[in-house]
Amino acid sequence: MPARRGHTGRMNALDATLLTGVADPKLEAFSRFDGSWDLQWSRPGDEEAPASLWGEVHFGTVLGGRAIQDVWIVPAGDQQSTEDERYSFHGTTIRFFDDGIGAWRSTWIEPIHGRVRTFVGRPSGDEMHLISTDGDPFLRWRFTEVGADHFVWLGEYSVDEGRTWILEEKMVATRR
């Protein structure tokens, strides 16, 4: 099949490409993560969890350059095991900037555990915070310590409607 007009002919891990001149500059908050990353996942404070697992995440621009999709896989590659799936996840997020609310709308889908959550994301200083209030507990996902080849993702939850947050998961990402 011939390559479609506007596509590079090479598809990334998400089967997505950026159509030249279409992407909104607001997407930079997440398009800076474009590409593939190795992850070191941990669950601080959970004595039953493995000390760490290796994973991967792939970011790309989708929907004609109007949204960002990422695919998260933990554990990755040779660590795949069904021994304890409580700590495994394969999920995807689609996010776009909604001018109507002046923030990011984001939906997480994770089929292993049947999870779907919606988030609203806004920058907070040098970080990006995504908050989900559509279920109990509230969730906050933070992209922190962001550099060209490194970032830290923190997953937190709140049982008091966001007044305090408890760290549940941490992922340190290194660009491939």
Side-chain angles (χ1 to χ4, degrees):
M1 175 187 322
R4 290 174 282 165
R5 185 183 175 119
H7 288 262
T8 64
R10 183 175 157 268
M11 305 299 262
N12 70 16
L14 296 173
D15 195 29
T17 58
L18 173 62
L19 298 177
T20 306
V22 177
D24 187 326
K26 293 176 190 136
L27 294 182
E28 188 178 325
F30 286 101
S31 65
R32 62 186 167 163
F33 300 116
D34 186 55
S36 295
W37 302 73
D38 292 313
L39 299 172
Q40 185 176 14
W41 172 93
S42 64
R43 196 170 169 111
D46 183 343
E47 294 180 11
E48 294 180 21
S52 69
L53 292 171
W54 288 99
E56 58 190 86
V57 60
H58 308 276
F59 286 82
T61 310
V62 296
L63 303 175
R66 294 170 184 88
I68 305 292
Q69 182 174 7
D70 47 59
V71 174
W72 300 74
I73 302 167
V74 173
D78 58 356
Q79 288 191 12
Q80 295 296 327
S81 169
T82 57
E83 187 176 310
D84 191 345
E85 285 195 349
R86 288 182 298 169
Y87 305 108
S88 297
F89 59 92
H90 291 197
T92 190
T93 306
I94 296 223
R95 59 191 89 211
F96 68 95
F97 191 84
D98 183 343
D99 286 315
I101 64 170
W104 287 83
R105 291 195 185 268
S106 181
T107 301
W108 167 251
I109 300 166
E110 197 276 305
I112 290 176
H113 302 286
R115 296 182 189 139
V116 176
R117 286 295 285 253
T118 60
F119 292 79
V120 172
R122 292 184 170 87
S124 179
D126 292 338
E127 300 182 354
M128 177 60 80
H129 292 198
L130 296 116
I131 307 285
S132 175
T133 60
D134 68 349
D136 192 25
F138 284 11
L139 299 178
R140 178 171 70 180
W141 293 353
R142 294 192 294 146
F143 287 82
T144 69
E145 302 178 38
V146 178
D149 296 318
H150 173 90
F151 69 87
V152 175
W153 180 96
L154 301 173
E156 301 165 309
Y157 68 93
S158 175
V159 294
D160 59 10
E161 298 181 333
R163 288 184 292 280
T164 60
W165 296 96
I166 300 162
L167 179 63
E168 183 175 32
E169 292 179 278
K170 177 179 181 178
M171 288 184 268
V172 177
T174 305
R175 188 178 295 276
R176 287 187 180 170

